[in-house]
Amino acid sequence: MDFMTTQGFFTKNNSVRNQRMFFAALSGFFTGTVVTLATSFINTWFFPDLPLYLNWSSVLVAWVMWAFLGGLLAGLSALSAEGWAGVFVSALSMAVAVLVINSIQGSESMMVSLVAFFGLLLPFFAMLFPLAALFYWLAKRSVEALSLSGWPRGRVFLVNALIVLVLGALPGWYVKMDQRAEQGVRIIHNILQGAPMEFKEDLSKTSGFLEHQGQSYALSQVDSSYSTVGVDVTVHYEDGYTIMCTVVLYPGQEPSVSPCKAQTP
């Protein structure tokens, strides 16, 4: 093989690799975008009658993190033609990224974070390896589809898009409010709308509540940090004033609301 032939061979190989990495990164980018949309808006889609709170700056940050980081890490899966080396690097990078983000967001000490990091690195790598392999497979299908034309090519890209859509939507289903969370949010919403309830008087005693009656608000919820069967529901007003109430929902018993806590802007 002379120099010109060798040069053409490597140029062709690099071109195919770049195409694979491009399609893998594109799949990761759109998967991250769908993840952001699904996790941010799924409750507003399923419960349109509730004024649910959306923090747009958090949505933007989540999109930048999931879409761009997802695109970068998914692109690594297509580094090698055989797939396994790239998939290994991609899965390991995904595991490291997830654990680093969790440690930054957590409140544990540095030593606890390091122990958790190394203790969970292998399990997370094992869980994310199939995801990295899927991105490689999608990229390989896309590159092969470039040699086709018409409907056969379109069918490959359509199937790939559907896979990305389903893959990105799955985390959204995970964060959808369950029955207990929905009930807790509805209880606070009904109180604010003037429904006669026995614990409405407790809310009216909260500092600043009477001054905000009749103003528009939005509601958010998380699992309670005070009760294993409770929901912490926060009422967000436009001026930054918030009220957090814990709704306790024991199975087979009437719900109860703990004294609410207000926070001024």
Side-chain angles (χ1 to χ4, degrees):
M1 185 180 290
D2 59 27
F3 173 75
M4 294 300 295
T5 306
T6 303
Q7 186 181 40
F9 173 78
F10 283 108
T11 302
K12 181 179 179 182
N13 278 359
N14 287 337
S15 175
V16 173
R17 184 186 67 178
N18 291 340
Q19 288 176 342
R20 278 198 318 269
M21 293 185 68
F22 169 77
F23 282 116
L26 196 64
S27 296
F29 176 85
F30 282 114
T31 299
T33 299
V34 176
V35 167
T36 303
L37 292 173
T39 54
S40 300
F41 297 100
I42 190 166
N43 286 318
T44 61
W45 294 335
F46 274 86
F47 309 101
D49 58 318
L50 291 173
L52 298 177
Y53 177 72
L54 279 175
N55 187 329
W56 291 103
S57 60
S58 296
V59 173
L60 179 60
V61 170
W63 176 68
V64 170
M65 182 179 68
W66 285 109
F68 288 90
L69 187 60
L72 174 65
L73 299 180
L76 294 176
S77 67
L79 273 171
S80 62
E82 294 77 14
W84 296 117
V87 169
F88 181 93
V89 171
S90 178
L92 183 61
S93 301
M94 289 179 186
V96 170
V98 169
L99 291 173
V100 167
I101 292 172
N102 284 341
S103 65
I104 292 174
Q105 294 177 341
S107 58
E108 295 85 0
S109 65
M110 179 63 70
M111 182 60 68
V112 173
S113 296
L114 285 174
V115 171
F117 178 89
F118 289 107
L120 294 173
L121 183 59
L122 185 58
F124 269 77
F125 169 78
M127 288 189 296
L128 292 168
F129 191 88
L131 179 62
L134 178 60
F135 283 129
Y136 170 79
W137 179 74
L138 290 172
K140 187 177 179 182
R141 276 171 50 86
S142 297
V143 172
E144 292 171 349
L146 295 178
S147 62
L148 306 175
S149 60
W151 170 240
R153 174 190 286 190
R155 181 174 57 192
V156 171
F157 287 119
L158 178 61
V159 171
N160 284 10
L162 290 174
I163 292 173
V164 166
L165 184 62
V166 172
L167 184 64
L170 289 176
W173 190 260
Y174 175 78
V175 302
K176 175 180 171 290
M177 286 195 299
D178 57 20
Q179 185 177 6
R180 180 167 55 87
E182 180 192 356
Q183 185 180 357
V185 172
R186 288 193 182 280
I187 286 173
I188 300 300
H189 179 54
N190 290 336
I191 292 174
L192 296 172
Q193 291 297 302
M197 292 189 174
E198 57 181 313
F199 23 78
K200 182 176 181 179
E201 185 177 346
D202 295 331
L203 182 59
S204 66
K205 294 178 181 178
T206 304
S207 174
F209 172 74
L210 294 178
E211 291 82 354
H212 287 82
Q213 273 192 307
Q215 296 184 22
S216 59
Y217 60 85
L219 301 166
S220 64
Q221 59 79 34
V222 294
D223 289 338
S224 178
S225 56
Y226 303 101
S227 172
T228 57
V229 291
V231 180
D232 289 342
V233 181
T234 302
V235 187
H236 304 260
Y237 289 91
E238 292 180 351
D239 63 354
Y241 172 79
T242 61
I243 306 173
M244 194 277 286
C245 302
T246 299
V247 183
V248 181
L249 301 153
Y250 284 104
Q253 297 183 23
E254 289 296 319
S256 62
V257 178
S258 66
C260 301
K261 299 179 181 179
Q263 184 172 349
T264 56

